[in-house]
Amino acid sequence: MKTLDQYLEDAVGSHGHICAGQVLGVRLAMLGLRELGIEDPVRERKRLVTYVEIDRCVTDAVALVAGCRLGKRALKFFDWGKVAATFVDLETGRSVRIVAREGSKKRASELFPALAKEQGQQQAYRVLPDEQLFEKQWVRVEIHPEDLPGFKGPRVVCEKCGEGINFKREVTTNGRTLCRSCAGQSYYQPLP
């Protein structure tokens, strides 16, 4: 595993800048990987699936450190608004969820009161012990075969819109095979 500074340098390239969320995300992911005993997540990329719970800077850092990407089906996103990630070791079946402690921002301002909020958080998140930044919980995550990296399954066609559907994401309604959008779960509305 790389050092904190090496990951932060990489984060500038992938995220575009360093911020408190990047520092926190790198630390969070490093802890998760250490707990699972994964030393080189890039070399062992097929061994790890990571679930993130927020779409903020932290997630970019977690993906960078864990070597997980949506396109490889090794990064899963749940929009729960929590600074948390769960790391699943497919080889051992062990899973650990790491969540940022609610008091970490307050602790950062106490540790570096003379610095502006963002700079204080960045510095604090670099030096605070893991126990003060994060809560760790061993969990069980059941990953269905169609959600695993490398899954090759049948592709079906929506009987209403004609679009293809992968990974068993179709819905059967009144005997018809539909995509989730046509079944009423759409996030968009077609314009006339």
Side-chain angles (χ1 to χ4, degrees):
M1 193 175 317
K2 294 181 181 181
T3 67
L4 174 63
D5 287 334
Q6 288 171 321
Y7 280 126
L8 292 176
E9 187 175 311
D10 291 347
V12 172
S14 69
H15 185 69
H17 68 276
I18 284 296
C19 60
Q22 287 289 288
V23 179
L24 195 62
V26 166
R27 292 277 312 273
L28 186 150
M30 289 176 76
L31 175 60
L33 295 176
R34 274 195 316 272
E35 289 296 320
L36 292 175
I38 296 175
E39 283 295 317
D40 188 350
V42 174
R43 192 174 64 224
E44 299 181 81
R45 66 181 175 80
K46 293 186 178 191
R47 179 178 170 184
L48 185 68
V49 171
T50 303
Y51 291 82
V52 292
E53 300 179 19
I54 195 165
D55 57 351
R56 299 288 300 176
C57 303
V58 167
T59 293
D60 283 350
V62 168
L64 172 77
V65 174
C68 295
R69 296 182 300 198
L70 283 171
K72 295 288 187 182
R73 307 198 74 227
L75 180 66
K76 311 293 184 181
F77 172 62
F78 286 98
D79 194 6
W80 290 0
K82 295 182 177 185
V83 179
T86 300
F87 303 88
V88 181
D89 185 339
L90 298 174
E91 194 175 283
T92 66
R94 297 173 63 216
S95 306
V96 64
R97 182 173 180 266
I98 311 293
V99 62
R101 289 187 180 274
E102 189 57 34
S104 62
K105 285 184 181 182
K106 182 177 185 285
R107 184 71 183 106
S109 65
E110 294 169 354
L111 197 58
F112 293 100
L115 295 177
K117 179 182 173 184
E118 172 66 24
Q119 280 66 42
Q121 286 177 353
Q122 284 186 41
Q123 291 304 315
Y125 296 164
R126 284 174 177 262
V127 299
L128 283 169
D130 288 338
E131 302 76 35
Q132 290 184 25
L133 283 178
F134 306 110
E135 292 182 34
K136 169 184 69 175
Q137 181 181 29
W138 291 98
V139 297
R140 184 173 53 87
V141 177
E142 183 179 336
I143 303 177
H144 300 285
E146 62 269 17
D147 294 323
L148 288 168
F151 176 77
K152 306 279 191 256
R155 180 176 170 92
V156 298
V157 176
C158 176
E159 292 179 29
K160 185 173 179 183
C161 71
E163 294 177 1
I165 310 161
N166 296 304
F167 309 121
K168 297 185 178 183
R169 299 307 196 250
E170 68 272 10
V171 176
T172 303
T173 305
N174 297 324
R176 294 179 71 200
T177 300
L178 303 175
C179 67
R180 290 180 179 185
S181 181
C182 290
Q185 301 175 24
S186 186
Y187 68 90
Y188 62 89
Q189 297 299 316
L191 295 174

